[in-house]
Amino acid sequence: MPHVVVVGGGLSGLTVALRLKQFSPGTAVTVLEPRDRPGGNIYTESDRGFRVEHGPNGYLDRTPALPNLVRELGLEGQAIAASDGSRKNRYVFLRNKLRKLPGGPLGLLTTSLLSLRGKWQLLAEPWRKTPPPGHEETIQEFVTRRAGSEAANVFADALVTGIHGGDPALLSVSAAFPRLPVMERDAGSIVRGFMRAAKKRKEDAKANNQPPPGPMRMWSFRDGLQVLVDALAAQVGGGLRCGTRVEAVSEAAGVAPWTVHGQSGYTWSADAVVLACPSYEQAGIVSDINPELSAEMAAIPYNRIAVVALGYRAEHCPGKHDGFGYIAPQNTRRDLLGVQWCSSIFPDRAPQGFVLWRALCGGVHRAEQIDWPDEQLVKAVHEEIKLAMGVTGTPVFKKVVRWPNAIPQYVLGHLDRVARIDALASRHPGLFLTGNSYRGVAMADCVEQGEAVAAKVALHLQRAKPR
């Protein structure tokens, strides 16, 4: 019976294990996870009626991979869509005031976020003839060229801060948002590219006798994202081993060409090995068999994020917080990157009469914040929230979570580095790489890449069968 070892029990690794059981029936799959629980950065904690996500707050239905997985696992009845208000009402904190992000052309005309010149540059994007330069562009450069510097400084910064906790002047647009350069190339404009994509979705739905697709939405589960992790772990069953750290892999000719080396001298023989842990962990695991590959993996930078969840009495929170929350663009260098109004986004995130808000602190330019004591972080976030939203009371609930290696940063040269990593890994038949370090940081990206890698492993095992 073939045996595959998956190193890393996060969303990517669990997806690989699930799909391998389907793509290669009869294959034994072992998932080794160093923490005492599966899920990686996905973890939901409930405390005194407050439900806090330690990592991602939800997933988008931008592509069918995750919704299909939810349906397959029988979780549709537990899935909940984010509130309409959280989809329509998003804000940025600029010049000491919350300002709503425009939701369409009319909003762009009336927004206080841009000057008249900035609005004109953004609205004229479909007709702008600015050919791409002959070099890789940052997100800042791309958006400035297409829509003007004001749009880049406000909207691109807010987008990158909210998704990557990074700096648009450092990240590669082709790596972090690959659809944008493709839209420009194929449609001559980002706006026209989105319009074409929307039209195609409608045509595809009509061809499949389905209703017209609605706007993209964010989803979770009534009991939090932990529901998805638990369902995947149940499917993997006894093959999942938590509290098991892998230190190295070695390859040798024979019936089982791979040996996985864990702590305390434990070893596992495998016909294939999938590294689904973060790239810095993968680097240590492969350092003995390929130092060059290890160096490339280790060169992928990560930011540092502290999650600070605060609960308040609703009576101490004036105003209506019907929305997703707000971003404080990283170029403002405030004490937080943004605040998610968790109890407005999804139900049952706070007890009746209370609200739960979750701030993200740190990022690429305020990395030192993760080392602040809990009291200092909580005080800083509370002062920011008081300034932005006029809170009158003090927090009645506090939770601080630190991620020393939170989100991989797809800086300039990332795609070239990934290509080198793929080429170096290909020298070791039976070694496969996945995870959010390489081709997308979102939950949907992890599922899609996990499924793709599982298919490659199944094909490898099929080809390796004796004839």
Side-chain angles (χ1 to χ4, degrees):
M1 174 186 293
H3 181 216
V4 176
V5 172
V6 179
V7 182
L11 182 57
S12 298
L14 293 175
T15 300
V16 170
L18 173 70
R19 294 306 182 207
L20 262 179
K21 288 190 167 189
Q22 299 167 342
F23 299 161
S24 184
T27 296
V29 182
T30 300
V31 179
L32 305 177
E33 166 57 43
R35 302 177 191 177
D36 60 0
R37 60 167 182 83
N41 290 3
I42 301 173
Y43 181 66
T44 309
E45 181 179 4
S46 295
D47 184 359
R48 289 168 284 165
F50 292 94
R51 185 166 289 126
V52 179
E53 297 288 1
H54 284 209
N57 197 47
Y59 64 90
L60 295 173
D61 57 7
R62 172 176 54 85
T63 61
L66 243 175
N68 288 345
L69 178 61
V70 169
R71 190 178 308 111
E72 182 181 331
L73 293 171
L75 301 177
E76 275 190 304
Q78 301 180 55
I80 51 173
S83 66
D84 283 340
S86 69
R87 178 172 57 84
K88 298 175 182 177
N89 303 320
R90 296 173 181 240
Y91 300 83
V92 292
F93 188 70
L94 283 178
R95 300 184 291 278
N96 288 332
K97 183 179 179 180
L98 282 185
R99 302 171 190 273
K100 186 177 179 181
L101 286 167
L106 181 60
L108 284 173
L109 289 173
T110 58
T111 183
S112 62
L113 290 168
L114 302 177
S115 68
L116 285 175
R117 182 174 184 272
K119 293 174 185 178
W120 169 251
Q121 287 185 311
L122 179 56
L123 290 169
E125 190 275 336
W127 300 278
R128 181 166 288 115
K129 305 296 183 182
T130 55
H135 62 268
E136 183 181 12
E137 287 183 288
T138 65
I139 298 168
Q140 182 83 15
E141 290 169 334
F142 178 86
V143 177
T144 299
R145 180 170 59 80
R146 290 300 319 167
S149 59
E150 289 188 41
N153 291 335
V154 175
F155 301 135
D157 196 311
L159 180 67
V160 173
T161 300
I163 296 176
H164 294 269
D167 186 338
L170 300 176
L171 300 188
S172 161
V173 67
S174 298
F177 297 103
R179 295 176 67 203
L180 297 184
V182 172
M183 285 179 174
E184 180 189 35
R185 182 194 67 204
D186 295 345
S189 158
I190 305 305
V191 171
R192 285 201 295 269
F194 275 110
M195 292 173 64
R196 282 190 185 183
K199 182 179 179 181
K200 187 176 187 307
R201 286 195 299 271
K202 291 180 181 179
E203 291 173 346
D204 291 345
K206 184 177 181 179
N208 295 321
N209 294 318
Q210 296 176 345
M216 181 175 62
R217 304 193 72 171
M218 189 170 80
W219 295 78
S220 183
F221 304 91
R222 188 164 294 278
D223 292 329
L225 291 176
Q226 191 67 38
V227 169
L228 177 62
V229 170
D230 291 344
L232 281 167
Q235 290 293 318
V236 176
L240 173 63
R241 300 188 183 186
C242 293
T244 306
R245 182 172 297 279
V246 171
E247 296 182 335
V249 293
S250 59
E251 54 186 336
V255 176
W258 286 93
T259 301
V260 178
H261 304 267
Q263 286 179 320
S264 303
Y266 288 103
T267 62
W268 294 264
S269 296
D271 298 278
V273 176
V274 180
L275 301 183
C277 48
S279 59
Y280 55 87
E281 293 182 7
Q282 296 183 21
I285 291 170
V286 304
S287 59
D288 289 340
I289 65 168
N290 194 324
E292 188 179 358
L293 173 60
S294 175
E296 291 285 7
M297 291 170 160
I300 296 175
Y302 279 67
N303 63 10
R304 308 174 81 216
I305 296 288
V307 177
V308 182
L310 300 182
Y312 293 91
R313 295 185 182 277
E315 64 195 63
H316 294 156
C317 303
K320 186 179 181 182
H321 303 102
D322 179 24
F324 188 86
Y326 70 88
I327 293 293
Q330 60 79 37
N331 61 30
T332 63
R333 302 295 195 271
R334 302 201 65 87
D335 278 345
L336 51 74
L337 299 171
V339 177
Q340 297 164 338
W341 300 337
C342 302
S343 52
S344 298
I345 301 170
F346 294 117
D348 301 328
R349 267 32 182 185
Q352 188 70 30
F354 295 83
V355 301
L356 176 66
W357 294 335
R358 194 180 80 145
L360 302 182
C361 304
V364 293
H365 294 301
R366 297 295 308 277
E368 77 283 355
Q369 284 190 284
I370 194 174
D371 299 319
W372 289 2
D374 284 5
E375 297 78 10
Q376 185 178 357
L377 273 170
V378 168
K379 180 181 178 181
V381 169
H382 172 65
E383 291 299 322
E384 290 280 354
I385 287 176
K386 186 165 67 171
L387 175 64
M389 294 183 283
V391 169
T392 58
T394 56
V396 298
F397 172 84
K398 309 166 190 175
K399 180 67 182 181
V400 177
V401 181
R402 291 175 172 82
W403 296 106
N405 295 285
I407 307 171
Q409 300 294 290
Y410 296 174
V411 297
L412 288 178
H414 179 78
L415 293 182
D416 289 338
R417 170 164 285 116
V418 170
R420 292 194 297 271
I421 288 171
D422 288 342
L424 291 166
S426 69
R427 300 178 187 176
H428 306 277
L431 177 66
F432 298 88
L433 312 175
T434 190
N436 71 353
S437 303
Y438 303 120
R439 295 179 174 87
V441 301
M443 289 177 62
D445 298 317
C446 293
V447 171
E448 290 174 350
Q449 292 301 313
E451 292 178 342
V453 166
K456 292 178 182 178
V457 176
L459 181 61
H460 169 79
L461 296 175
Q462 180 65 33
R463 289 174 174 173
K465 282 184 179 180
R467 297 189 181 278

